[in-house]
């Protein structure tokens, strides 16, 4: 068993990782660990996750009362406590604002496509939790409906949240979530976000079950025989704005006039 001081140091180490990776800016994000049935270590509010020290980490109880520490706990503490109350098996939580995942959260697009085998097995689907004002009960209420069947959520117009059996697990789930969002975004720009077939997905789910990994998995596609993956989302639609049209007209007009001048 790790001592509380080692847990605090681990929180600081993970905080530096998420800061260095650009998953947070300024004082964004929060991290917590369960240390007993009704006691939790949690990050302070108003402090950059990249520059925390163990003495800044607070201990709180399940009701949010500060048991130890000189700082104020994160304003998102209610969200953390809700997950712990609903999932006794969960030991750690990470909440950050990774750019690609947050972009999907702002766009209201769940990460539920079967595009990467690793994501199907280890991450599953990541749904959108309805928007709630940060620090209010609205956020944990929105998360509650997903906490039993997923390993994390996108918080609508806010960021991402993952939970795990220990802090490394919760952090790596966040890394996987952001990586999946990034790959998905790039594939969508190429109009090539093809999803693995249902047969391939089922094989991956069987592997997932044997490994004891929890969470809802993507469904997969039904491509023609002999094809392993198929695009399910509609192609990207690109339209020109009036400003774009005017620029094109100006450039074409200039080129035509220049050519006419050469003929004079």
């Amino acid at each position: 068993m790790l001592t509380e001081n080692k847990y605090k140091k681990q929180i600081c180490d993970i905080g530096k990782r998420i800061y260095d990776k650009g998953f947070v800016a300024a004082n964004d994000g929060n991290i917590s660990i369960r240390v007993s049935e009704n006691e939790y270590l949690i990050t302070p509010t108003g402090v950059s996750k990249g520059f925390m020290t163990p003495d800044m980490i607070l201990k709180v109880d399940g009701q949010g009362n500060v048991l130890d520490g000189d700082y104020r706990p994160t304003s998102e503490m209610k969200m953390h406590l809700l997950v712990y109350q609903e999932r006794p098996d969960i030991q750690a939580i990470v909440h950050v604002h990774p750019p690609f995942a947050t972009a999907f959260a702002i766009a209201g697009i769940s990460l539920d496509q079967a595009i990467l085998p690793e994501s199907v097995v280890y991450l599953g689907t990541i749904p959108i939790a309805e928007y709630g004002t940060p620090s209010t009960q609205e956020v944990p209420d929105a998360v509650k409906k997903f906490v039993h069947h997923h390993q994390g959520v996108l918080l609508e117009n806010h960021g991402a949240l993952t939970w795990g059996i220990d802090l490394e697990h919760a952090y790596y789930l966040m890394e996987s979530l952001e990586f999946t969002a990034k790959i998905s975004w790039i594939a969508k720009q190429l109009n090539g976000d093809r999803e693995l077939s249902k047969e391939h997905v089922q094989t991956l789910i069987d592997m997932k079950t044997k490994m004891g990994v929890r969470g809802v998995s993507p469904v997969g596609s039904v491509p023609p025989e002999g094809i392993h993956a198929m695009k399910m989302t509609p192609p990207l639609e690109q339209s020109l704005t009036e400003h774009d049209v005017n620029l094109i007209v100006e450039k074409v007009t200039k080129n035509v006039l220049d050519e006419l001048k050469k003929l004079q």
Side-chain angles (χ1 to χ4, degrees):
M1 286 288 292
L2 291 174
T3 65
E4 286 188 11
N5 285 336
K6 288 184 177 179
Y7 278 130
K8 289 179 179 181
K9 185 178 184 303
Q10 187 182 30
I11 289 175
C12 295
D13 290 344
I14 294 295
K16 188 171 190 317
R17 278 196 235 176
I18 63 176
Y19 183 81
D20 289 346
K21 278 186 166 290
F23 286 5
V24 290
N27 302 329
D28 296 344
N30 29 80
I31 304 166
S32 67
I33 293 179
R34 187 200 299 267
V35 292
S36 73
E37 186 175 348
N38 195 45
E39 293 180 332
Y40 311 89
L41 296 177
I42 197 162
T43 50
T45 188
V47 175
S48 170
K49 302 300 142 334
F51 299 92
M52 294 186 299
T53 54
D55 61 290
M56 296 177 179
I57 308 303
L58 301 101
K59 183 194 283 187
V60 300
D61 64 18
Q63 290 68 51
N65 300 307
V66 175
L67 304 178
D68 183 45
D70 299 325
Y71 289 74
R72 288 188 298 117
T74 172
S75 59
E76 299 286 3
M77 179 169 57
K78 295 176 183 176
M79 176 174 65
H80 290 248
L81 294 178
L82 176 279
V83 176
Y84 290 126
Q85 290 162 9
E86 293 291 320
R87 291 280 302 273
D89 59 312
I90 292 305
Q91 302 299 315
I93 297 168
V94 173
H95 164 53
V96 289
H97 304 161
F100 286 91
T102 301
F104 273 77
I106 291 170
I109 303 173
S110 300
L111 294 174
D112 57 5
Q113 291 182 275
I115 56 174
L116 290 169
E118 294 82 1
S119 295
V120 174
V121 174
Y122 295 109
L123 191 63
T125 63
I126 302 296
I128 299 280
E130 184 180 359
Y131 178 76
T133 303
S135 81
T136 70
Q137 188 60 36
E138 295 172 0
V139 180
D141 286 347
V143 171
K144 185 175 181 179
K145 67 183 73 173
F146 301 111
V147 71
H148 289 285
H149 305 293
H150 298 273
Q151 301 198 81
V153 293
L154 298 178
L155 301 168
E156 186 177 12
N157 286 80
H158 187 174
L161 180 72
T162 52
W163 45 81
I165 58 174
D166 55 39
L167 187 51
E168 287 282 344
H169 181 217
Y171 167 73
Y172 283 132
L173 283 171
M174 185 61 72
E175 268 199 359
S176 296
L177 189 156
E178 173 66 354
F179 185 73
T180 298
K182 183 176 182 179
I183 294 299
S184 180
W185 184 85
I186 294 172
K188 286 178 185 293
Q189 306 316 300
L190 299 171
N191 280 323
D193 51 326
R194 300 182 306 131
E195 296 191 48
L196 294 168
S197 70
K198 288 186 175 182
E199 289 76 13
H200 287 312
V201 170
Q202 186 55 56
T203 300
L204 294 170
I205 291 174
D206 292 342
M207 292 171 55
K208 176 177 180 175
T209 302
K210 290 178 182 178
M211 295 168 63
V213 180
R214 297 179 56 166
V216 176
S217 298
V219 175
S221 64
V222 185
E225 187 175 351
I227 303 298
H228 300 293
M230 185 174 74
K231 183 172 173 59
M232 302 289 288
T233 58
L236 290 176
E237 294 184 3
Q238 296 183 338
S239 58
L240 296 175
T241 65
E242 183 178 352
H243 177 68
D244 293 331
V245 172
N246 288 337
L247 287 176
I248 293 172
V249 170
E250 287 176 12
K251 187 170 183 59
V252 170
T253 301
K254 181 180 182 304
N255 288 342
V256 170
L257 292 175
D258 287 344
E259 290 299 320
L260 289 173
K261 286 178 182 178
K262 292 177 182 178
L263 296 175
Q264 292 177 353

